[in-house]
Amino acid sequence: NAVSVEVHAKDACPRYAGVTLANVKVAASPAWLQDRLKSIGLKPINNVVDVTNYVQHELGQPLHAFDADQLAGKRIMVRMAAEGEPFTTLDGKERKLSANDLVIADGEKPACIAGVFGGLNSGVSESTTSIFLESACFDATTLRRTARRHGLNTDASFRFERGVDPEITVYALKRASLLLQEVAGADVPVGFTDTVSSPAVWTNVTLHHDRLASLLGVRIDPAERH
C-alpha cells in the first residue's frame, strides 16, 4: 500500500527520496524529544512533526510528512505548477501558483509547495495512521524565487535556499523513520524510493595538513586520513 513517486521536474529536484510508514500513532512526543526541541526554542506539536523538526536541526536536512491516506491515487508527483493553479496552504490562504513554482502533487492536485510550505489538507492530524515521509534535495535558486514570490519564509526554505547536501538525503530519511518507529510505533518497511535525477558533482580540494588542522580545530592522525 505504498505511495508511488514520479519526478517530472528533474532540474528543480536533483534527488527525491520517500517512504510510506504504516500504523503510525500520532500523539504527544516523549519528554526527551520535547525537551530537546524546547532547548533550541521550538514548540513541540506531535511526535511526527517533532521528529521531522528534530532531524532537520540535527542533520540540516528538511523533511516533510504527508498523510498518505489523503494523497489521491496514492501518488506523489514532483512537477512544476500550472500557471495560476490554485493552492491552499496550511495557514488557510489560497494562493495562485506560478509555472516557475515546484510542487509536490498527488494524483489530482498540489499537496505542498516543494521545500517551502505544506498544503491544508495533506498534513498530519490526530486521525492520521499512515504517512508518506519525504526527504529531498531541491534546486536552491528555484526555491528561493518561490519563497520570495509568495512571501513565505520557513525553516525548511531557509535551508533549501542555501543548498542542502544531496548525499544526506537517504540517511536523514532512515534516521527519521527509525525515530518514528520508536516514538510513534510506525512500521518501517525494508524498501524506500530514491530517485536521483542529477548526480552531485564533487570537487577535490587540496589543503596543507597544518591548514586543515587550523580549520577543524583538531589534528587528525595521518593514519586516519582518507
Side-chain angles (χ1 to χ4, degrees):
N1 203 30
V3 173
S4 63
V5 173
E6 304 167 25
V7 178
H8 298 286
K10 300 183 184 299
D11 290 338
C13 181
R15 189 169 193 175
Y16 190 92
V19 65
T20 306
L21 306 177
N23 296 322
V24 176
K25 301 174 183 64
V26 179
S29 295
W32 70 265
L33 180 52
Q34 292 195 40
D35 288 344
R36 292 192 181 187
L37 292 176
K38 290 176 183 177
S39 71
I40 58 173
L42 294 182
K43 179 182 178 181
I45 298 174
N46 60 51
N47 46 10
V48 175
V49 175
D50 291 351
V51 163
T52 61
N53 284 333
Y54 181 83
V55 174
Q56 175 177 263
H57 285 81
E58 179 186 47
L59 301 177
Q61 171 64 52
L63 303 167
H64 190 77
F66 299 88
D67 186 325
D69 294 325
Q70 299 299 318
L71 296 173
K74 284 294 181 73
R75 296 172 67 194
I76 281 287
M77 291 187 290
V78 185
R79 62 171 175 81
M80 304 309 292
E83 186 65 39
E85 187 170 13
F87 177 65
T88 304
T89 46
L90 275 171
D91 55 6
K93 294 182 179 179
E94 181 172 305
R95 304 172 189 273
K96 298 296 183 182
L97 301 178
S98 161
N100 295 315
D101 293 333
L102 180 67
V103 298
I104 311 301
D106 59 21
E108 298 176 354
K109 60 191 181 306
C112 176
I113 300 176
V116 178
F117 219 55
L120 182 63
N121 298 318
S122 63
V124 173
S125 67
E126 293 181 357
S127 60
T128 298
T129 58
S130 178
I131 67 172
F132 177 76
L133 185 63
E134 166 194 281
S135 179
C137 178
F138 299 122
D139 175 65
T141 301
T142 300
L143 263 69
R144 186 182 306 116
R145 290 173 177 169
T146 290
R148 299 294 182 274
R149 185 179 301 114
H150 297 287
L152 295 170
N153 296 290
T154 61
D155 282 347
S157 68
F158 179 87
R159 286 162 175 78
F160 280 124
E161 287 176 32
R162 288 155 181 78
V164 297
D165 181 1
E167 295 301 309
I168 208 172
T169 304
V170 169
Y171 180 81
L173 183 69
K174 292 179 177 180
R175 168 68 167 152
S177 296
L178 292 177
L179 280 173
L180 287 168
Q181 183 182 58
E182 176 183 343
V183 305
D187 290 341
V188 180
V190 174
F192 54 89
T193 297
D194 181 23
T195 303
V196 182
S197 302
S198 303
V201 178
W202 299 103
T203 301
N204 291 324
V205 178
T206 302
L207 289 175
H208 191 279
H209 295 160
D210 291 338
R211 175 59 174 162
L212 180 62
S214 68
L215 290 172
L216 295 177
V218 62
R219 186 170 293 277
I220 300 175
D221 187 275
E224 298 180 13
R225 297 180 187 136
H226 300 286

